[in-house]
Amino acid sequence: MGHTIRIIVNGMSEEVPENATLVFLIELFKEADPALIVEHNGRFVYPQQYDATTVAENDRVEFIHPDFGG
Amino acid sequence: MDGNPFLTEEQKQRYQRQLSIPEIGVDGQIKLGKASVLIVGLGGLGSISSYYLAAAGVGTLRIVDGDEVALNNLNRQILHSTLDLNRPKIESAAEKLHRLNPECRIEPVRARIGEDNGLDLAKGCDLILDATDNLASRHVLNRISLARQIPLIYGGINGWNGTAATFIPGKTCCFTCLFPPKDLRKLEMGIPALGPAAGVIASIQSMEALRILLGLSPKLAGRLLDFQGKEIRFRTIRLEKNPDCKLCGHTKGG
């Protein structure tokens, strides 16, 4: 993990390792949640794709935790 | 509107301020009057959505809940009052809704929705409004929605925050696409809940319900709305069908 890149996570600029996967980012930002919803550059990503999805400079990632109370 | 045979003078007055909305008018009001909505749950979300839909003149509301009014409901479940403590929620709700709009037909059902009664409860309804407080019930609602081919408007809250989405069978992903049952956590008990968060989410669900009943395009179909109350921030993201979904994965749509 030599280089780092800047990406936007939940609207905030963050420094992360180059080619970080979504699995890595979920761990890094403590977003783990069985119901987690992930958006990558405006695209919805299903959990089975987290491992194969990597981020690049200036990418945008949103983590959403759906709510189930009422 | 003058001389329109389909709305009474009283109806013209009652609905005056929405009859003047271009997308509603007399035709829209008549559509609402013929519509039936299944509302499951009469807690924080259902208190708001049932009240708004009755007020707007939706013809029939089938309201389903198995609980009684408890003191720790009253910070947010504003359809019920302190005088209603220990009464079945459907009874308290039916009374308030009838008082608000006697024209609206209220069909109270005291039950917890499940596989055994769900399909029957949705019979004749145009859409399902989710006002439950747990994942298991929402999976039941999803199966009913798919079986009956009627939209499901999901809403949920946690503390200051909430989320909502509309699932249209055959067109969008379904609830189970997003939250496969393997993710079923233990029954969520006592999720923190602030009244206005329920108000925001249930108001959005109500608006979406009215859009569908009026024949307008639902705005949260295939989208998830996320409301962060602490920041007063709204985000929406586009959802896609999960190709691995066991329930709707084989049907087309996206």
Side-chain angles (χ1 to χ4, degrees):
Chain A
M1 292 280 185
H3 294 90
T4 59
I5 52 172
R6 291 211 79 85
I7 62 170
I8 310 290
V9 179
N10 293 338
M12 307 282 282
S13 178
E14 303 279 359
E15 200 170 7
V16 303
E18 197 174 15
N19 293 323
T21 65
L22 289 178
V23 170
F24 179 89
L25 295 177
I26 289 165
E27 183 80 14
L28 181 67
F29 294 104
K30 299 184 169 53
E31 299 280 359
D33 170 352
L36 181 69
I37 301 277
V38 180
E39 188 192 46
H40 177 219
N41 293 337
R43 237 193 67 242
F44 179 80
V45 188
Y46 270 101
Q48 59 264 41
Q49 303 162 334
Y50 293 169
D51 209 19
T53 307
T54 56
V55 292
E57 187 80 32
N58 297 321
D59 275 7
R60 303 183 72 91
V61 178
E62 299 273 353
F63 295 114
I64 294 174
H65 299 269
D67 302 314
F68 300 113
Chain B
M1 262 167 280
D2 282 343
N4 188 297
F6 298 105
L7 291 183
T8 64
E9 279 311 310
E10 191 186 317
Q11 287 172 324
K12 284 180 197 166
Q13 277 183 42
R14 178 181 287 272
Y15 304 118
Q16 184 188 57
R17 299 287 281 265
Q18 66 189 48
L19 286 171
S20 55
I21 297 174
E23 292 82 4
I24 301 181
V26 174
D27 290 349
Q29 195 61 52
I30 289 166
K31 278 185 198 163
L32 295 180
K34 289 179 179 164
S36 298
V37 173
L38 174 66
I39 301 179
V40 183
L42 290 164
L45 296 167
S47 278
I48 305 294
S49 46
S50 64
Y51 216 51
Y52 273 144
L53 294 187
V58 171
T60 304
L61 295 180
R62 190 169 300 151
I63 55 174
V64 181
D65 199 303
D67 292 341
E68 290 109 44
V69 178
L71 196 52
N72 65 7
N73 296 156
L74 296 182
N75 75 314
R76 64 196 185 283
Q77 303 187 10
I78 59 177
L79 196 55
H80 316 295
S81 77
T82 307
L83 292 175
D84 298 312
L85 284 174
N86 303 318
R87 283 178 82 190
K89 285 185 183 174
I90 50 144
E91 192 183 298
S92 156
E95 185 180 288
K96 314 300 169 27
L97 297 170
H98 181 74
R99 259 191 238 156
L100 171 63
N101 189 353
E103 286 195 341
C104 176
R105 180 185 160 89
I106 307 297
E107 300 180 352
V109 181
R110 190 170 182 195
R112 178 166 277 274
I113 200 150
E115 302 294 346
D116 51 334
N117 59 4
L119 264 185
D120 281 346
L121 285 173
K123 198 173 180 183
C125 291
D126 298 298
L127 62 88
I128 305 171
L129 213 146
D130 160 36
T132 65
D133 61 357
N134 66 85
L135 260 171
S137 297
R138 292 186 174 98
H139 279 292
V140 173
L141 298 185
N142 186 57
R143 284 191 286 275
I144 301 168
S145 151
L146 290 170
R148 288 256 178 231
Q149 294 284 297
I150 52 174
L152 167 63
I153 306 176
Y154 145 72
I157 60 162
N158 188 343
W160 298 82
N161 309 324
T163 39
T166 301
F167 300 101
I168 315 263
K171 288 198 176 147
T172 69
C173 67
C174 76
F175 186 80
T176 306
C177 280
L178 290 190
F179 312 112
K182 68 175 165 58
D183 294 333
L184 258 184
R185 285 167 282 180
K186 289 173 208 125
L187 264 188
E188 295 86 346
M189 295 299 285
I191 293 180
L194 190 68
V200 168
I201 294 300
S203 297
I204 285 167
Q205 289 180 283
S206 306
M207 214 175 268
E208 192 74 339
L210 292 175
R211 288 192 67 86
I212 292 173
L213 299 177
L214 289 164
L216 305 170
S217 61
K219 292 299 171 191
L220 287 179
R223 291 166 81 209
L224 180 82
L225 174 99
D226 177 63
F227 170 62
Q228 296 288 311
K230 254 198 268 189
E231 330 278 333
I232 311 279
R233 178 176 179 228
F234 286 93
R235 296 183 285 181
T236 58
I237 66 161
R238 194 166 291 282
L239 303 172
E240 286 166 31
K241 268 177 177 275
N242 189 341
D244 294 347
C245 180
K246 296 280 186 290
L247 284 186
C248 75
H250 59 287
T251 57
K252 282 197 185 303

